[in-house]
Amino acid sequence: MDTKIEKIRNCLLDAEKIRTAGAIIRAGGLVAFPTETVYGLGADALNACAARKIYEAKGRPSDNPLIVHIARFSDLERLSAALPSSAKRLSEAFWPGPLTIIVQKNEIVPYETTGGMDTVAVRMPNHPVALALIRESGGFVAAPSANSSGRPSPTLAGHVADDLDGRISMILDGGQVGIGIESTIIDLTEEIPTILRPGYITREMLQEVIGEVRIDPGILASDCTKKPKAPGMKYKHYAPRAELILVEGEEERVVSKINELSGQAFCDGKRVGVIGTDETCARYQAHVVISIGVRSDEEAIARRLYKVLREFDEMDIDIIYSESFATPNIGQAIMNRLLKAAGYQLIRV
Ligand code: TXA
Ligand code: MG
């Protein structure tokens, strides 16, 4: 199949292209599109065959449920007959935006979309192209991140093409995404609402709206032996082709540890990469050193994270050593993704 890439500069001027993309989805096809978090791979969420195609194109395990993207608040009620009051409060506070809520599904949502679960994940993205596409597609678009299963999520249309060219009908290219890591997921079917995946919307922000919120112990690094509740969080994820190892501790010690490890890997004949920050990059010796940004700017680090991981793939690096990051606010989501990408390999110095 030929994958058509369409640049979208303006939703009004490019309305025709978005209409064509919507027609593809309504006919059961696949279209990748930008959201504020990462690029999504869209299909009609209410069409079992279309949902199945997503798993095939991504090489995704079929027990890993998809998020249903909507563009109108009232459409949430069509997906679930048993909405808790917290669903209404959270959607009003954070939609459109990077928050996915999990509620009981009703019969219009096929099990192909929910990976066999009786619950459904729903979000309203905050991106004009995504919202326009969802409207043109009939209102309910199932969309995982538009990467091959296991690879870093795409933050540029080019990343989508690298992974899925020839497997999907169209890519809407809306430029670089704004946030760069996937939405926060909160499960509202538990007695105490539970975060299954950390993201830009933090626990504190959620607690201000609905009171007590737990974090699924399965997503915390120190508890990586526990089974996470979001099926997708148990798979190896976000991983570059090279081995990735994180080093955590006080700055001076981290720099010298990474240089020591790089030196050893170099002697073993490996091509070595380092992920540092603007503050430390000049002090590293490796084949490739990439700065992820200024340490204090968590939002910029989140935006660059997956792009940096993909850049090492293009440079045939065998092993990457990365600094670790503090975990207030969005830092928790950054470390969650980095730890998963590293297969939880972390050295404390
Ligand atoms: O920011 C995002 O959420 C992006 C953009 C495209 O919207 N989408 C995204 O989808 O990250 P995906 O499929 O890559 O990740 C969805 C996660 C998976 O870990 C999946 O297991 C979990 O959500 N999930 C979906 N439905 C669920 C459910 N009913 N119960 C528990 N976990 C669920
Ligand atoms: Mg994903």
Side-chain angles (χ1 to χ4, degrees):
M1 151 188 333
D2 256 1
T3 301
K4 194 160 187 201
I5 304 184
E6 293 281 20
K7 263 212 153 37
I8 309 291
R9 289 187 182 80
N10 176 307
C11 277
L12 276 179
L13 298 177
D14 294 313
E16 196 50 45
K17 294 177 185 168
I18 297 176
R19 216 167 291 137
T20 305
I24 293 172
I25 291 183
R26 267 185 279 119
L30 303 182
V31 175
F33 61 97
T35 80
E36 80 280 35
T37 57
V38 298
Y39 273 75
L41 176 58
D44 181 350
L46 307 187
N47 174 340
C49 294
R52 233 178 274 132
K53 284 187 197 160
I54 287 184
Y55 292 94
E56 227 170 87
K58 279 183 58 104
R60 176 175 174 122
S62 62
D63 68 344
N64 189 2
L66 308 171
I67 296 173
V68 179
H69 294 65
I70 59 174
R72 287 191 314 195
F73 286 90
S74 57
D75 282 342
L76 176 59
E77 285 154 34
R78 294 187 52 201
L79 297 173
S80 176
L83 283 179
S85 65
S86 53
K88 189 165 186 321
R89 274 179 283 151
L90 287 176
S91 58
E92 278 168 5
F94 298 110
W95 284 358
L99 179 70
T100 295
I101 64 174
I102 293 180
V103 291
Q104 294 300 333
K105 84 171 193 73
N106 72 14
E107 61 295 337
I108 72 163
V109 188
Y111 281 111
E112 280 76 1
T113 296
T114 66
M117 299 180 85
D118 289 316
T119 53
V120 61
V122 190
R123 111 172 171 95
M124 187 188 292
N126 186 14
H127 193 294
V129 177
L131 292 169
L133 177 67
I134 295 164
R135 286 190 202 103
E136 292 292 346
S137 304
F140 301 93
V141 174
S145 49
N147 49 288
S148 301
S149 193
R151 300 220 57 221
S153 297
T155 54
L156 288 165
H159 297 160
V160 181
D162 288 344
D163 283 14
L164 300 177
D165 191 32
R167 295 168 159 261
I168 62 178
S169 299
M170 189 181 272
I171 301 172
L172 297 180
D173 178 355
Q176 177 164 0
V177 300
I179 293 178
I181 52 176
E182 305 83 348
S183 59
T184 305
I185 301 179
I186 184 163
D187 185 350
L188 301 179
T189 67
E190 297 273 345
E191 203 168 319
I192 300 171
T194 304
I195 294 174
L196 304 188
R197 179 173 72 182
Y200 186 84
I201 309 278
T202 61
R203 180 189 199 177
E204 289 68 30
M205 291 158 82
L206 295 164
Q207 289 193 143
E208 267 181 40
V209 181
I210 55 167
E212 189 186 357
V213 169
R214 286 175 59 229
I215 297 191
D216 179 9
I219 65 176
L220 296 176
S222 56
D223 267 319
C224 61
T225 49
K226 291 216 175 83
K227 189 169 172 268
K229 196 180 172 207
M233 299 307 277
K234 73 174 179 263
Y235 296 109
K236 185 165 186 206
H237 241 108
Y238 320 118
R241 295 197 177 90
E243 183 177 5
L244 173 65
I245 296 172
L246 311 183
V247 181
E248 182 179 83
E250 182 273 317
E251 184 178 295
E252 273 321 305
R253 297 168 70 116
V254 168
V255 172
S256 40
K257 186 68 183 176
I258 288 182
N259 278 332
E260 177 198 323
L261 293 166
S262 299
Q264 282 164 9
F266 183 80
C267 291
D268 293 341
K270 292 189 178 157
R271 277 181 58 78
V272 185
V274 170
I275 300 176
T277 52
D278 283 8
E279 292 87 338
T280 55
C281 263
R283 286 185 269 155
Y284 288 117
Q285 292 110 41
H287 291 98
V288 179
V289 179
I290 299 182
S291 171
I292 198 163
V294 177
R295 179 162 279 281
S296 56
D297 190 347
E298 286 190 326
E299 293 194 6
I301 292 174
R303 204 174 302 126
R304 276 176 58 71
L305 177 65
Y306 290 137
K307 182 166 184 284
V308 166
L309 291 177
R310 280 179 180 259
E311 274 166 11
F312 284 107
D313 288 345
E314 280 151 33
M315 292 179 282
D316 280 326
I317 294 295
D318 300 305
I319 188 156
I320 306 166
Y321 297 103
S322 174
E323 295 180 14
S324 297
F325 299 91
T327 54
N329 308 320
I330 197 175
Q332 184 178 49
I334 293 169
M335 279 309 286
N336 167 263
R337 306 311 194 270
L338 266 177
L339 279 161
K340 282 178 66 65
Y344 294 95
Q345 296 192 81
L346 173 83
I347 298 171
R348 292 201 173 86
V349 291

